[in-house]
Amino acid sequence: MILYYFVIAAYLAILSLLMVYCVHRYYILYTYFKYKRRPFKAALPLAQLPSVTVQLPLYNEMYVVRRLLDAVVRIRYPRKLLEIQVLDDSTDETSSIAREHIRKLREKGHTITYVHRAQRQGFKAGALQAGLEKAIGELIAIFDADFVPGEDFLLQVVPCFADERVGMVQTRWDHINRGYSLLTRLQSIFLDAHFILEHTVRHRSGRFFNFNGTAGIWRKEAILSAGGWQHDTLTEDLDLSYRAQLQGWQFIFLPDVVTPAEIPVDMNSFKTQQHRWSKGSIETARKLLYHILSSTQPFKVKVESFYHLTSNINYLLVLLLSVLAYPALVIRITMGWRTLLLCDFIFFLGSTLPVGLYYIISQREVNERWFGKIFCLPVLMALGIGLCVNNGRAVLEALMGHKTSFLRTPKFRIEGKSDSWRHKKYRGYSKTLSILIELALGCYFLFAIIFAARFEVYTSIPFLLMFCGGFFYVAILSLYQGIHFKKGEYAAASPVSSDGSGGFREIVAPAVSFSEARGIEGILLAGKRTYGQP
């Protein structure tokens, strides 16, 4: 009897905590519609054009490095004010490919600085900091290797820095290979909601939000005043963002300035990325949450920061809820049908409905053909559930202070359905134990469905199906892709140097003089841009 009540208490406690985070989605939606139609004046007239350094951090990106360089040199900006830094930590053919392509671009008159470190001291954060120390730009634009910035990127973003209080401007990600597979379509919905809803709400309502590691511009002074790039968390971008905003710098999000990028196309790469993001956010919470809560920031900033930095705890809660599925099902059998319907209705209102609305509304805002995405919702939720083993492990590692290497997300230059990654070199890192746990949980819920049908607890079956399908989808796809395409090497981190120097060396292109383009200068100096609804 004591065990019975303990299971009930544990189940209700976990469910209540989970609903606290889910109900927060209602607040996000409410605030989004509150600020959506209020015009946002993001740019002021520029008195003088600032110099810009474009940083391109690379680590084993042989398939996408040429595309990235070609896109960046097409960006329109006065040449004497633009520096391009290639920050290359690669240990494979990427370095020779990058050097050769940079040589060709220099012959065409582009000024590019190439920096290579023999060891990845500090990983991406270390590369960015090493480049920052030599950067000549007042503003620092950053693009990861899988991004393809548009020619007008600087024209659209730089005017925001006319306000000297602005420390960072983030643009919205778009997805080159959105329609490549079911997995990429689901990922695009996850990311669209994050940018369209969360970033817009936090920015417009005066709360803290974060730089996403790429497709944005920093004021160099803001980075330095916040303590520079630090690598004691796996999300150096999130960490620096909060430190800078605590220093008083203002951030801007431009939802209608879109920068395309590639989404991971295989499950193991996706899980590698999700593990890093989940673990890094909790590491950042451990590092900064006390300072945020004890600061003089408004209460609304503190509350939203808490939700933002700790939200990945949801994965651990879902994992614990999964383990209690059978005991909970036994408890539900003993309930009367009225009590059962009331409990299910409360659970639906507090968890399923806000999550569903959150993703559907984000698709309505970004996609004219959004209605069909409603049918993706059960699969989308199932994928989120299926990730709880991978991401729950990340959360536990962060809570326990267990440090791991920065594992990059492999990129393959997959732009359309005819492209294939199967015989390419890189692979996402696959944890066999995690896959076995996912398979075991899939079987666990399969028997739970049979059990629920046997005892006519039919209202539980749709939820059990999502859990069962999510675990099997993630596990089987991870296993299939991990075994069938095992020829590639894992995108693991290289060892760091013991002396902390990272073997830093630099090759600098000679400066080339160019005449200014009056059209560009006119746009930047005079233009005022008003951003309305995202």
Side-chain angles (χ1 to χ4, degrees), residues 255-444:
D256 51 352
V257 178
V258 178
T259 308
E262 221 178 283
I263 296 175
V265 292
D266 72 295
M267 180 60 77
N268 290 311
S269 297
F270 177 52
K271 288 166 76 173
T272 298
Q273 181 190 71
Q274 289 295 308
H275 182 276
R276 188 177 71 245
W277 289 355
S278 299
K279 183 172 183 177
S281 68
I282 301 300
E283 288 177 331
T284 304
R286 287 190 62 187
K287 177 180 178 179
L288 297 178
L289 197 54
Y290 172 78
H291 299 289
I292 296 167
L293 298 179
S294 61
S295 71
T296 57
Q297 294 294 328
F299 181 72
K300 66 177 185 179
V301 170
K302 296 178 181 180
V303 171
E304 188 59 32
S305 298
F306 178 85
Y307 272 107
H308 184 196
L309 293 178
T310 65
S311 62
N312 283 307
I313 287 177
N314 278 329
Y315 290 109
L316 191 56
L317 294 175
V318 171
L319 184 58
L320 293 173
L321 203 65
S322 300
V323 174
L324 293 173
Y326 258 114
L329 198 55
V330 172
I331 292 167
R332 290 167 67 86
I333 291 171
T334 64
M335 293 181 179
W337 69 269
R338 289 187 177 87
T339 306
L340 186 60
L341 283 177
L342 178 62
C343 289
D344 285 339
F345 182 68
I346 293 171
F347 179 72
F348 176 78
L349 286 181
S351 59
T352 308
L353 183 61
V355 173
L357 289 173
Y358 175 79
Y359 289 114
I360 286 299
I361 290 173
S362 72
Q363 288 307 291
R364 193 191 72 170
E365 297 301 297
V366 77
N367 193 335
E368 291 181 359
R369 302 172 66 181
W370 63 272
F371 190 78
K373 300 295 178 69
I374 292 176
F375 302 103
C376 290
L377 272 182
V379 185
L380 188 75
M381 293 182 182
L383 176 60
I385 292 166
L387 287 170
C388 75
V389 176
N390 179 74
N391 294 4
R393 176 172 60 86
V395 170
L396 275 177
E397 289 176 355
L399 291 173
M400 293 165 54
H402 176 63
K403 295 294 181 181
T404 50
S405 296
F406 185 105
L407 299 179
R408 62 175 277 275
T409 307
K411 295 104 179 177
F412 306 108
R413 192 162 184 169
I414 302 299
E415 298 177 354
K417 290 189 176 183
S418 61
D419 296 325
S420 175
W421 59 275
R422 297 182 180 185
H423 303 293
K424 293 188 176 180
K425 182 176 179 179
Y426 310 128
R427 291 292 176 267
Y429 188 71
S430 176
K431 280 277 188 181
T432 305
L433 180 59
S434 292
I435 295 174
L436 292 176
I437 294 172
E438 289 158 1
L439 284 171
L441 286 170
C443 294
Y444 180 75

Side-chain angles (χ1 to χ4, degrees), residues 23 33 126 139 161 295 303 449 492:
V23 167
F33 286 110
L139 305 180
F161 289 92
S295 71
V303 171
I449 292 168

Side-chain angles (χ1 to χ4, degrees), residues 464-475:
L464 296 173
L465 279 170
M466 281 199 298
F467 278 79
C468 181
F471 286 121
F472 274 136
Y473 175 63
V474 170

